[in-house]
Amino acid sequence: MKPSLFAFLLLRAAIGLAVTVSVYALLPRWWVAVPLGIASAIWIAWEGSHAVLEGLDALRAPKTGEPSGVPSETAFVEFDGLAATMEIRSAQQQRELSAITEAQRNLESLLDSMQDSVVAVDAAGRVTWTNEPMRKLAAVRKGHALVQTIREPEVLDCMRIALEEKSLVERASVPFGAGRSFAVEAAPMAEGGAVMVLREVTRVEQMERAQKEFVANVSHELRTPLTAIRGYVEILLDDVYDEEIDQGPANEFLRVILKNCARMERLTEDLLVLANVESRERETEPVPVNVETLLQEVVDATSGLFKEDVELHIGQVVRVQVLADVDAVVQVLSNLIENAIAYGRGSDGTVVILAAETAAETEEGMPEMVTFSVQDFGMGIALDHRERIFERFYRADKTRSRESGGTGLGLSIAKHLVEEHGGRIWVESDLGKGSKFCFTLPQLTAEASGAELGESVEKSTGF
């Protein structure tokens, strides 16, 4: 109640009470006081109701001439404005909803037109969305658990890791279906769940396999004629030398033929090694070996490469055992040393440093590693070449490669052999300051050494 209305009622009640008391004081008769009190109460009630009605009429603010209690045109105008605002807001929301629906429809159409198969699941592993290629591939249905339609363990394992560990999972080749292979990528989503993309690589693998088989067959077939050519050229050179007959440029031509024949033989040999490594026909057989013994094998194998202006220095060597295939690691280090000799020549000759140290950092849950390094002080490698230096036939300096007779396969072979050991290989280099090629091999702990020794005894005894 407003303060003015309360004061009005209080004033009327006070007046009525005063009149009643005054009359009763002048005429102290009960039959006079009772009618007078009733009259005062009726008067106060009438005045109060009249004041309340006036207040309500004032709130409705009727125009002049309008009857009391009828809504004014201003009230209708206000309601019309509110209704118009609500209609505008509703239309705007409808347009936004239509835009979202259209964007979702376009996204679904885009994903359906993809060649890759896509499926999304919630935190419980139930399918929330999938595109048309995925539905054709595995008949995946929305709302059903992914495990009900996909049975391939490796595919399900990728999705499980993405859901539980909240990390990106990639698999280069996973079997899926009859004779088909897919590259799998599974990634967690911010709102929960995960999404998985499957890209078929069956045709690519078939082409790569055919290419490797072709290279291996050609390389194998070239070995026989190259061996015959080299043998005949060496006989001719020996005959010319023994008879001391000067045949002018013929002797020089024979030496050029012999040099290029040796280069072709080396190329075919590297191609065969690379083909065997990539096809896993030649499996590495890691055994416990002392780092010092391994480096001594490398020094003995590369001793013929060091001439008067080439020096090999042994840096820091850790006295531990590593798990390695001796022949494979010797080949890796020999390739790195040969590259250092070919491309690491400085103003005062060539200096190569061979070292083996404990790796500074080891990933959690992985065994400790030993880092082997081959360092030179030559011209170095530019930054834009470092990412591709381990590719087949890639050469950072093509001019010097032709002069040195390199095949461009040594670093690629080294990369494959190191990765088969569970290690990694990289290069650290600055232009004008030389290069340092490093790779890691797993270090053998005391418990692992005992286990490996037991396995070796069992294999040798046949038990």
Side-chain angles (χ1 to χ4, degrees):
M1 183 179 293
K2 293 183 177 181
S4 58
L5 180 59
F6 179 76
F8 176 81
L9 295 177
L10 183 61
L11 179 62
R12 294 296 189 276
I15 293 172
L17 180 61
V19 171
T20 302
V21 172
S22 299
V23 174
Y24 184 75
L26 295 176
L27 300 173
R29 300 288 186 272
W30 66 268
W31 48 271
V32 176
V34 171
L36 188 59
I38 294 172
S40 298
I42 294 173
W43 178 71
I44 293 171
W46 183 83
E47 287 289 343
S49 62
H50 183 67
V52 171
L53 290 176
E54 286 183 353
L56 293 176
D57 289 340
L59 291 175
R60 285 193 289 266
K63 292 184 179 179
T64 305
E66 287 185 353
S68 177
V70 178
S72 64
E73 291 182 3
T74 305
F76 282 116
V77 171
E78 293 177 355
F79 280 114
D80 289 342
L82 180 61
T85 303
M86 293 180 65
E87 288 180 359
I88 294 173
R89 183 58 181 168
S90 177
Q92 183 180 358
Q93 291 180 347
Q94 187 65 30
R95 288 194 298 271
E96 293 176 355
L97 181 60
S98 300
I100 294 173
T101 304
E102 183 67 20
Q104 182 179 2
R105 189 181 301 110
N106 292 337
L107 178 60
E108 291 180 356
S109 177
L110 175 64
L111 292 175
D112 284 339
S113 63
M114 292 174 56
Q115 298 298 320
D116 298 344
S117 303
V118 185
V119 60
V121 300
D122 58 16
R126 292 185 296 269
V127 177
T128 57
W129 187 88
T130 180
N131 65 346
E132 184 64 24
M134 190 67 194
R135 290 191 289 270
K136 292 181 178 179
L137 178 65
V140 176
R141 290 181 294 177
K142 184 177 179 180
H144 289 243
L146 188 65
V147 70
Q148 293 180 347
T149 51
I150 295 181
R151 303 296 183 183
E152 282 68 15
E154 293 187 48
V155 176
L156 295 175
D157 189 58
C158 292
M159 184 64 82
R160 179 191 60 80
I161 294 174
L163 286 173
E164 296 179 0
E165 301 181 8
K166 306 296 182 183
S167 60
L168 176 66
V169 185
E170 295 181 347
R171 296 287 188 272
S173 179
V174 173
F176 196 109
R180 303 175 69 181
S181 299
F182 288 81
V184 180
E185 294 183 7
M189 295 188 292
E191 63 275 10
V195 61
M196 182 170 61
V197 180
L198 290 88
R199 182 177 66 259
E200 187 167 6
V201 294
T202 307
R203 180 61 178 169
V204 175
E205 289 185 347
Q206 291 175 349
M207 293 177 63
E208 289 182 351
R209 192 180 304 113
Q211 180 184 7
K212 292 174 183 177
E213 291 176 354
F214 172 77
V215 171
N217 292 334
V218 170
S219 301
H220 184 74
E221 293 298 328
L222 284 174
R223 296 178 71 178
T224 302
L226 285 173
T227 302
I229 294 172
R230 180 170 183 170
Y232 284 121
V233 170
E234 289 176 347
I235 293 173
L236 290 174
L237 286 172
D238 290 341
D239 290 342
V240 169
Y241 177 78
D242 292 340
E243 296 176 5
E244 297 182 355
I245 299 176
D246 184 10
Q247 297 188 12
N251 192 11
E252 181 181 352
F253 292 162
L254 288 174
R255 294 188 182 280
V256 172
I257 294 172
L258 184 63
K259 179 181 177 180
N260 284 278
C261 184
R263 184 177 178 181
M264 285 292 294
E265 284 183 333
R266 183 177 175 185
L267 176 59
T268 55
E269 186 66 28
D270 285 347
L271 285 171
L272 283 172
V273 171
L274 183 62
N276 291 334
V277 170
E278 290 181 338
S279 62
R280 299 188 181 276
E281 291 183 4
R282 172 190 170 184
E283 296 184 358
T284 57
E285 298 180 358
V287 296
V289 58
N290 291 324
V291 172
E292 294 175 325
T293 304
L294 195 58
L295 296 186
Q296 186 60 50
E297 292 279 349
V298 175
V299 172
D300 295 340
T302 58
S303 59
L305 301 175
F306 298 99
K307 303 176 183 178
E308 295 180 357
D309 58 345
V310 180
E311 298 180 7
L312 175 66
H313 297 282
I314 304 298
Q316 183 177 353
V317 178
V318 63
R319 297 176 180 273
V320 296
Q321 282 189 324
V322 292
L323 195 61
D325 185 313
V326 177
D327 292 337
V329 176
V330 167
Q331 184 173 6
V332 171
L333 287 171
S334 298
N335 288 345
L336 296 181
I337 291 174
E338 190 171 354
N339 280 349
I341 294 174
Y343 305 106
R345 183 175 298 276
S347 58
D348 299 329
T350 304
V351 177
V352 180
I353 299 178
L354 177 63
E357 306 170 276
T358 302
E361 297 181 0
T362 304
E363 296 182 6
E364 185 178 354
M366 298 295 292
E368 294 186 2
M369 309 293 282
V370 174
T371 301
F372 293 81
S373 63
V374 176
Q375 185 176 6
D376 64 69
F377 300 92
M379 60 182 297
I381 303 171
L383 180 62
D384 53 343
H385 294 298
R386 293 178 205 166
E387 294 296 328
R388 301 187 59 190
I389 199 70
F390 295 100
E391 294 180 6
R392 288 177 291 179
F393 301 108
Y394 186 83
R395 298 174 179 180
D397 190 344
K398 297 179 175 58
T399 303
R400 296 191 65 181
S401 296
R402 285 193 294 268
E403 293 175 357
S404 61
T407 64
L409 295 173
L411 291 179
S412 181
I413 293 172
K415 181 176 183 292
H416 281 86
L417 292 176
V418 169
E419 290 179 349
E420 283 192 4
H421 283 79
R424 67 184 186 95
I425 188 170
W426 70 96
V427 60
E428 301 170 0
S429 181
D430 292 317
L431 285 177
K433 296 182 180 180
S435 304
K436 184 178 181 180
F437 284 85
C438 307
F439 67 92
T440 57
L441 292 178
Q443 179 178 333
L444 208 63
T445 60
E447 295 108 10
S449 180
E452 290 291 335
L453 181 60
E455 291 180 3
S456 300
V457 170
E458 289 179 2
K459 290 180 180 178
S460 61
T461 58
F463 293 106

